[in-house]
Amino acid sequence: MGLQSSGWKRGVHLEPQEQDDLLEHGHRHGCGSRNGHSGRIFGHQHGEGHLSIDYYAYSSEMRPWNPSFKIVMSVFFLICVIAMDSMAVSAIVLFTMAALVMFKGKLGVRRYLNLMTLPFIFIALSSAAIAFDFSLAPKGEYCLHLGFFYISATRASLISTAGLVLKAFSAVSCLYMMTLTTPMGEIVGFFRKIHMPKILVELMYMIYRFIFILLDAQRRMSVAARSRLGYCDRKTSWYSFGRIFSNLLIISLKRANAYYDAMESRCYDGDLRFLEDEKPLKPSLTAGAVLFTAILAGVWYFTR
């Protein structure tokens, strides 16, 4: 177990067998990753208990890969998807990044699809607004009459929407490839290496951590309300909902003060530092990335 010299949390390094045992324990008891702040369980729910993104990153079989390589590769292929603007390229990147996380990283198909649920909702709503048009008179190649108005669409708008949906999912898959295989401490270390302003790096990390603090506070209050029949009917549910979110700010401020005191007690001096493992870049990974880039360039050239 490695300890950071100062900062928000202690870095935890688990051997593969310990990771498997912790993962199995989390599924049996409906809990998630052990956050380094004080041993509490933080996370968000995606249909399989409260499992945090950091938990998946620490458990990933791709964690031993060089973190700078994973981050640069994710951003680079995200730029390729946007710049090439090709449905074929977007589809290849989407399935390749998803396959890496699910099969090489051993995340699992069901967990990955659960993580895709939230972006799917946003993408579906946004794409529907682009694909369909509302009018008082029929127009376009496809029309649906609903009372006094029509929902219409054209072949061009549907094709454009399909391309946009593929591009959006490809972008999400690239970012998931980075976040689900690279712990946050390594991402912070990469930003330090490229000399990103320290204030931006620390704000990013603290905001990221406080998201889970808020989620944990909300989860605990929801469990307490449910144990007291706070959701027995619609009226009581709305009352419990309002009470929980009215108290959330106060509780989060108290926890923020407590965590800041904990940071200072561990010699926090305004700079977050993490103990990082040496992970050399393997030539095979570089060769694979170059080959995949060449394949994307070829597909883009012959399908443009």
Side-chain angles (χ1 to χ4, degrees):
M1 181 178 295
L3 300 180
Q4 64 183 36
S5 56
S6 70
W8 192 286
K9 68 170 188 174
R10 295 175 176 171
V12 178
H13 176 74
L14 299 178
E15 298 300 328
Q17 183 60 42
E18 293 176 342
Q19 295 172 4
D20 296 338
D21 293 342
L22 183 58
L23 179 62
E24 182 64 27
H25 175 79
H27 289 314
R28 285 201 306 264
H29 298 279
C31 59
S33 67
R34 185 169 296 278
N35 186 288
H37 303 326
S38 57
R40 292 190 175 94
I41 301 298
F42 287 89
H44 47 209
Q45 188 168 359
H46 288 285
E48 290 194 52
H50 298 273
L51 298 177
S52 71
I53 293 176
D54 262 358
Y55 177 72
Y56 292 128
Y58 275 106
S59 303
S60 175
E61 294 291 327
M62 293 175 61
R63 189 189 167 203
W65 290 17
N66 183 275
S68 299
F69 171 78
K70 289 184 287 186
I71 296 171
V72 171
M73 183 178 67
S74 300
V75 175
F76 175 74
F77 289 128
L78 173 60
I79 294 174
C80 287
V81 167
I82 297 174
M84 293 181 179
D85 194 20
S86 168
M87 292 181 65
V89 170
S90 298
I92 292 173
V93 172
L94 169 61
F95 289 110
T96 302
M97 296 294 112
L100 279 175
V101 175
M102 288 187 293
F103 303 114
K104 184 66 177 179
K106 305 296 183 182
L107 178 63
V109 177
R110 199 174 94 178
R111 293 194 199 103
Y112 189 83
L113 293 179
N114 285 336
L115 289 168
M116 276 288 188
T117 302
L118 187 60
F120 172 79
I121 295 173
F122 285 100
I123 293 172
L125 293 176
S126 301
S127 60
I130 298 173
F132 302 105
D133 187 22
F134 298 89
S135 61
L136 298 177
K139 62 178 182 179
E141 301 174 53
Y142 308 99
C143 290
L144 177 63
H145 186 221
L146 296 175
F148 60 92
F149 67 95
Y150 292 84
I151 298 178
S152 58
T154 63
R155 185 183 298 272
S157 68
L158 294 178
I159 294 176
S160 176
T161 302
L164 182 62
V165 169
L166 268 178
K167 189 184 297 184
F169 274 115
S170 298
V172 172
S173 68
C174 289
L175 295 178
Y176 272 0
M177 204 285 294
M178 176 180 67
T179 57
L180 295 175
T181 62
T182 312
M184 191 62 184
E186 295 181 352
I187 297 176
V188 170
F190 171 79
F191 287 142
R192 290 187 185 280
K193 291 177 182 178
I194 63 174
H195 302 291
M196 180 175 286
K198 185 176 72 172
I199 184 65
L200 294 181
V201 175
E202 295 195 359
L203 282 175
M204 176 192 70
Y205 181 74
M206 289 185 178
I207 290 172
Y208 173 82
R209 285 299 172 199
F210 265 91
I211 290 173
F212 294 107
I213 292 173
L214 292 175
L215 287 173
D216 180 66
Q218 185 272 333
R219 180 180 65 85
R220 290 172 182 270
M221 289 188 288
S222 295
V223 170
R226 191 172 292 109
S227 66
R228 293 167 174 82
L229 301 179
Y231 295 94
C232 60
D233 53 44
R234 180 173 298 180
K235 181 179 179 180
T236 308
S237 298
W238 280 111
Y239 177 77
S240 300
F241 176 84
R243 291 295 299 272
I244 286 173
F245 281 90
S246 64
N247 292 328
L248 188 59
L249 176 62
I250 299 173
I251 293 177
S252 62
L253 289 175
K254 289 182 178 179
R255 289 201 176 186
N257 291 330
Y259 284 120
Y260 187 77
D261 291 341
M263 291 168 61
E264 286 194 322
S265 68
R266 290 168 174 82
C267 304
Y268 175 68
D269 58 356
D271 190 17
L272 295 173
R273 292 187 290 271
F274 299 87
L275 182 65
E276 299 181 35
D277 297 331
E278 290 293 334
K279 299 177 180 178
L281 178 59
K282 297 180 181 179
S284 58
L285 296 179
T286 304
V290 172
L291 177 61
F292 185 63
T293 303
I295 293 174
L296 292 182
V299 171
W300 172 77
Y301 179 80
F302 288 108
T303 59
R304 60 178 177 172

